[in-house]
Amino acid sequence: MKPKDAHLKRIIVDFKKLTPEILALLVEKYPDGYDDDQIVKFKNLKNELIEAVEVTTEDTKYLVKVSSKLEQTMENYDEEDYEDFADDDPDAVRDPELEPGAEDEDF
């Protein structure tokens, strides 16, 4: 017997490829963050252990790699920050460690 979601595309998403749409789905599904029992663990083709959280759309199951950047971005999520970007723009979600203008500062 096939699982009910066997027809879905499966896509692994790293933080660098996170889009506003996927981020919004994550925040909606995990409004208080995710727990250890919600993390899916599997080995990729390089036999590396991957930890991810899962969100599903009508046709796709996204496995978003767990990281401290992901947690921090979810905690600070504000829908208005992404109004000027397309839902599928991976450049919209900024690295939380890089404050705007931080690249220009010289310490």
Side-chain angles (χ1 to χ4, degrees), residues 35-88:
D35 295 324
D36 288 341
D37 61 338
Q38 295 169 314
I39 295 175
V40 178
K41 297 178 183 179
F42 60 95
K43 294 206 178 200
N44 65 10
L45 294 174
K46 297 177 183 176
N47 207 28
E48 300 166 327
L49 181 64
I50 304 294
E51 294 184 345
V53 287
E54 181 182 298
V55 287
T56 306
T57 63
E58 206 172 280
D59 63 347
T60 307
K61 179 185 285 191
Y62 294 99
L63 295 168
V64 183
K65 291 182 182 179
V66 171
S67 69
S68 58
K69 291 178 184 180
L70 176 64
E71 289 178 34
Q72 189 173 359
T73 301
M74 288 175 64
E75 286 175 14
N76 298 322
Y77 177 76
D78 184 347
E79 189 174 340
E80 292 178 8
D81 292 343
Y82 304 100
E83 287 178 345
D84 296 334
F85 296 94
D87 281 347
D88 61 351

